[in-house]
Amino acid sequence: MSRISILDHDRCQPKKCHYTCIEYCPGVRMEEDTIVIDEKSKKPLISEELCSGCGICTNRCPFDAVSVINIPEALENPIHRYGQNMFELFHLPNVSDGSVVGILGPNGIGKSTIIRILSGELIPNLGNWEDNNDNDKKEDQTQEKWEKVIQHFKGSQMQSYFKNLSQGKSKVIHKPQMVDELPKFVKGNVETLLKGVDERGKFDEILENLDLENILSREIANLSGGELQRVAIAASVLRDGDFYYFDEPTSWLDVRQRLNAVKVIRSLAESGKSVMVIEHDLATLDAISDYVHVLYGQAGAYGVVSQMKGVRVGINAYINGFLKEENVRIRKQAIEFTVRPPTVEDEGEAISSYTALEKSYEGFSLEIDEGEIFHDEIVTAFGSNGIGKTTFAKILAEAEKPDKGKIKEKIDIAYKPQYIASDFDGRVEDFLYSFAPSYGSNIFKSEIMKPFSLEELLDKDVNELSGGELQRLAIATTLSKEAEIYLFDEPTAFLDVEQRLIAGRAIRKIIESKNAASLIIDHDIVFIDYISDRAMVFYGEPGLNGIATKPTDLRTSMNKFLKDLNITFRRDKETKRPRVNKLDSYLDRKQKEEGEYYYLKDK
Ligand code: ADP
Ligand code: ADP
Ligand code: MG
């Protein structure tokens, strides 16, 4: 049987279109109740029995909210379905003692749903959404639901997993995605919190590995994003569980901290625990996982968990856009990386230049080498947290005055800060009216609205957007301004792999069309590799003093940066993506000897 209409509830905006789907549905015209309005949500409900899958509503819907999809025969029994015409999930990933299993897939494809199921927060309904009755939490009903699940998985590894879970015999630890919200639930200082959960007696070790000694006495409410993330990881690792789930453990962390997180999380698996990690930073996912599952399907409509694959093969399949075992194409084109550093052409005229700069705050001082930024280029800036990157951005944007030195030409800067305020009172559309000058223009529609999929967000309240949605809105708004330099502070946080690359391409297109330039601060090496023309490196002692090199070619920058970190990267033979070398492996030693931390010597 082919399958029928799915309605993406996030996109559907009946208030705006006045039920175009109902107006055009041939079934409704023949006076059949093919589409009716749901009393509660006021959104359309498409009858699974009456819908013929003609596709007319799909074409008419202005928001791309309805899709008629053919789900392959083999995918007839979902693990969970949220409701009629709602998202459904097929298959579950494997859990494996002593291993880290990575989950790779776009936003809206079911990753959080999987974690909610495996942690026992959501009892899967096996597609029988009529059974859903979230208000009804009677003990016997719960047992009945679990029985069905256990029965369903009879004979597989998951049978005993759910049996133990439902009987409270296994303990699940879950690090949530949005660590920014932690201060709402946890009060007090870091030391009290972490001592209180130290069931494995590893307080000192984890503290050292995650570099938390200096912030022990700090109140949770006063921590930065990266500090919250490390505290959240520490709190999970210190507890004694059987299964550990980490939902995006690296947002806000710098490269060194990402690798420390990899070490700490991997140590759980090495002591026999079962670990699962959702991650969009491909270099981190690669270093942390033993195996991966790729999630595919249609975001908002259905998600399928692939078979378990070795980590290299799985990530390569994702990059190539084709899953061999499943025989599914998940993207039209492969993502392409270049083996050689981008050639810095005859640079032409500088769009901005500055003399050597100095800036001090109490306890922190920053020195910046004289430098310049050219038209049409993307310069990335990398280095530890607390080393002065944002301070430099602010000086360039003239939001801060340097103590010494000056910006030589006065230029307009459009700036996306690292932490995005979501306290705007109103809808996304109102926000765009107020803050996106080119909103409504054709260029905005084709070069910004479309790549960042803003159409589906227009009617939503800004303060209810997810982290990724807010990020898309903030990048888009910045790009809609007239400026000479577009400055982005950590634009990849909460975006999935695809969205990161789309954002990179949109930024490139806009700056080239305006003969402008962009400065991007980020920690995702694969992303940096994909978008940089040149780079600047910030080094020194985080929180004490920072030194910034002038923008220079990527080979020189990467060598400087990685030498300080004592890590080397190699290129995957097949896809050319950068991969971290194991410390002291043959390649690691060889590359260090040659002084090539990132690009291999030409043969
Ligand atoms: P991911 O973590 O991959 O971004 P999620 O598992 O959070 O994806 O969500 C997958 C889909 O399920 C989304 O389209 C989301 O809107 C939908 N969804 C999530 N929770 C619910 C719910 N409680 N009721 C209805 N739909 C939901
Ligand atoms: P990065 O962007 O590299 O993480 P920042 O430029 O934000 O680093 O900060 C560098 C250092 O300067 C940090 O130690 C930070 O606490 C300090 N700092 C930043 N802004 C101020 C300020 N307005 N007053 C005092 N100290 C500040
Ligand atoms: Mg999620």
Side-chain angles (χ1 to χ4, degrees):
M1 187 189 82
S2 78
R3 266 285 311 290
I4 26 177
S5 340
I6 291 277
L7 181 73
D8 185 333
H9 282 243
D10 291 344
R11 292 186 178 206
C12 175
Q13 303 178 37
K15 263 193 276 169
K16 284 202 145 171
C17 81
H18 307 292
Y19 302 99
T20 313
C21 52
I22 297 185
E23 188 183 336
Y24 286 99
C25 174
V28 175
R29 287 188 189 176
M30 290 188 297
E31 298 188 1
E32 281 176 351
D33 291 334
T34 311
I35 310 185
V36 294
I37 300 169
D38 181 35
E39 284 297 315
K40 227 168 85 195
S41 67
K42 301 288 178 222
K43 299 207 166 166
L45 271 183
I46 307 168
S47 156
E48 309 216 335
E49 288 75 39
L50 297 173
C51 172
S52 65
C54 71
I56 291 179
C57 59
T58 318
N59 289 330
R60 290 286 174 177
C61 171
F63 305 115
D64 262 348
V66 202
S67 28
V68 174
I69 44 179
N70 294 314
I71 292 185
E73 201 83 38
L75 289 178
E76 281 229 325
N77 298 306
I79 298 295
H80 187 75
R81 184 167 193 189
Y82 280 113
Q84 186 171 353
N85 308 132
M86 282 196 201
F87 181 85
E88 67 191 322
L89 176 74
F90 295 92
H91 307 316
L92 282 174
N94 294 18
V95 287
S96 169
D97 287 348
S99 308
V100 178
V101 176
I103 303 287
L104 175 55
N107 285 333
I109 203 80
K111 299 182 300 298
S112 297
T113 303
I114 289 171
I115 289 202
R116 289 181 61 212
I117 290 173
L118 293 178
S119 62
E121 278 164 44
L122 175 69
I123 308 175
N125 59 23
L126 307 169
N128 305 312
W129 45 269
E130 294 96 334
D131 293 358
N132 267 12
N133 204 341
D134 280 345
N135 302 329
D136 217 341
K137 283 205 173 130
K138 275 186 245 136
E139 195 58 21
D140 50 329
Q141 282 229 348
T142 305
Q143 263 324 310
E144 208 177 292
K145 285 183 191 170
W146 276 126
E147 275 314 314
K148 283 188 190 163
V149 175
I150 293 162
Q151 194 60 29
H152 176 87
F153 285 102
K154 204 163 172 196
S156 82
Q157 176 208 27
M158 294 315 283
Q159 181 183 16
S160 59
Y161 182 92
F162 284 119
K163 204 167 179 179
N164 290 334
L165 188 66
S166 65
Q167 295 171 353
K169 284 187 190 152
S170 55
K171 189 165 152 195
V172 172
I173 315 276
H174 176 192
K175 190 215 68 82
Q177 177 185 24
M178 301 300 284
V179 290
D180 317 42
E181 290 168 7
L182 213 63
K184 285 190 211 157
F185 309 107
V186 194
K187 305 285 173 226
N189 72 19
V190 174
E191 182 162 17
T192 322
L193 167 69
L194 294 183
K195 283 229 162 106
V197 294
D198 184 19
E199 298 160 354
R200 295 173 67 222
K202 288 186 180 287
F203 183 80
D204 293 329
E205 182 187 328
I206 299 299
L207 219 57
E208 191 187 332
N209 287 336
L210 291 175
D211 218 354
L212 291 168
E213 288 110 331
N214 293 333
I215 60 165
L216 277 184
S217 58
R218 300 259 296 275
E219 291 293 309
I220 303 286
N222 298 333
L223 300 182
S224 72
E227 290 164 346
L228 277 173
Q229 186 71 270
R230 283 179 290 138
V231 168
I233 295 173
S236 304
V237 175
L238 287 173
R239 293 171 66 199
D240 193 17
D242 304 297
F243 301 95
Y244 293 78
Y245 297 102
F246 292 89
D247 199 344
E248 300 187 27
T250 70
S251 333
W252 310 134
L253 299 187
D254 63 35
V255 174
R256 187 193 297 272
Q257 292 165 341
R258 282 173 200 218
L259 293 172
N260 289 342
V262 167
K263 206 164 117 193
V264 165
I265 292 172
R266 282 209 56 82
S267 76
L268 282 172
E270 276 146 23
S271 65
K273 310 286 190 187
S274 166
V275 184
M276 193 171 283
V277 177
I278 295 174
E279 182 55 58
H280 299 300
D281 171 339
L282 289 178
T284 302
L285 183 77
D286 189 36
I288 205 168
S289 315
D290 297 297
Y291 307 100
V292 296
H293 287 277
V294 176
L295 261 75
Y296 62 94
Q298 191 174 328
Y302 75 104
V304 188
V305 183
S306 80
Q307 295 171 32
M308 189 155 89
K309 301 168 195 294
V311 61
R312 175 174 171 268
V313 170
I315 295 181
N316 282 356
Y318 185 82
I319 285 178
N320 288 329
F322 183 66
L323 307 181
K324 203 160 111 207
E325 288 78 14
E326 286 77 11
N327 194 24
V328 196
R329 184 156 295 290
I330 56 173
R331 195 184 317 101
K332 284 204 192 94
Q333 281 161 343
I335 301 168
E336 292 190 15
F337 296 92
T338 41
V339 198
R340 276 164 233 291
T343 43
V344 181
E345 295 150 23
D346 181 25
E347 291 141 341
E349 204 190 333
I351 194 167
S352 172
S353 57
Y354 44 88
T355 65
L357 301 168
E358 286 180 26
K359 174 84 193 170
S360 306
Y361 298 116
E362 175 147 16
F364 179 79
S365 65
L366 176 65
E367 285 168 47
I368 299 151
D369 290 347
E370 173 170 16
E372 48 194 0
I373 295 174
F374 299 108
H375 288 279
D376 294 344
E377 72 168 346
I378 294 181
V379 175
T380 45
F382 37 83
S384 314
N385 280 331
I387 200 85
K389 299 182 302 299
T390 299
T391 304
F392 171 66
K394 286 184 181 158
I395 293 175
L396 207 59
E398 298 192 312
E400 283 280 3
K401 268 184 94 74
D403 304 332
K404 262 194 197 155
K406 63 174 201 287
I407 311 295
K408 288 187 198 161
E409 296 89 15
K410 183 158 174 49
I411 47 162
D412 289 328
I413 297 216
Y415 176 44
K416 186 208 77 74
Q418 176 177 9
Y419 301 108
I420 315 160
S422 63
D423 51 5
F424 177 81
D425 191 17
R427 298 171 317 137
V428 168
E429 188 165 19
D430 308 323
F431 183 90
L432 288 168
Y433 267 125
S434 312
F435 300 109
S438 72
Y439 181 53
S441 70
N442 284 338
I443 296 279
F444 187 89
K445 270 195 201 117
S446 62
E447 307 301 336
I448 299 177
M449 192 95 158
K450 204 153 163 255
F452 291 101
S453 310
L454 296 184
E455 192 80 50
E456 67 197 51
L457 303 182
L458 289 180
D459 241 9
K460 289 194 177 181
D461 284 332
V462 172
N463 54 29
E464 279 172 8
L465 296 180
S466 72
E469 291 169 340
L470 197 61
Q471 189 71 270
R472 274 151 57 203
L473 178 62
I475 301 175
T477 307
T478 308
L479 281 176
S480 79
K481 297 185 172 149
E482 273 309 318
E484 280 141 318
I485 295 191
Y486 291 82
L487 217 156
F488 298 92
D489 203 341
E490 302 198 26
T492 62
F494 304 121
L495 297 186
D496 64 39
V497 174
E498 216 80 27
Q499 290 166 340
R500 288 172 194 213
L501 301 177
I502 290 172
R505 283 197 290 266
I507 293 170
R508 161 98 46 214
K509 251 188 135 166
I510 294 276
I511 63 157
E512 285 183 353
S513 75
K514 296 191 180 196
N515 204 9
S518 182
L519 178 70
I520 303 181
I521 298 170
D522 212 87
H523 301 295
D524 176 346
I525 294 276
V526 173
F527 173 74
I528 288 170
D529 184 74
Y530 184 78
I531 58 157
S532 308
D533 295 311
R534 297 192 303 153
M536 55 193 297
V537 184
F538 285 71
Y539 60 102
E541 278 185 77
L544 288 176
N545 68 291
I547 303 162
T549 67
K550 66 175 189 201
T552 180
D553 68 278
L554 211 53
R555 172 182 248 135
T556 311
S557 310
M558 280 294 192
N559 276 339
K560 163 105 196 98
F561 175 60
L562 296 176
K563 192 172 181 185
D564 282 354
L565 289 179
N566 194 29
I567 52 173
T568 57
F569 277 80
R570 67 185 181 284
R571 295 271 168 180
D572 179 68
K573 284 201 179 67
E574 188 192 345
T575 59
K576 317 291 184 237
R577 67 183 160 97
R579 306 186 74 191
V580 182
N581 285 326
K582 270 217 168 72
L583 190 69
D584 282 333
S585 63
Y586 170 72
L587 268 180
D588 184 55
R589 282 181 287 129
K590 180 164 175 278
Q591 286 183 233
K592 281 174 183 165
E593 237 161 66
E594 291 172 347
E596 294 286 359
Y597 285 71
Y598 196 69
Y599 294 101
L600 299 183
K601 270 231 157 76
D602 290 331
K603 292 193 187 88

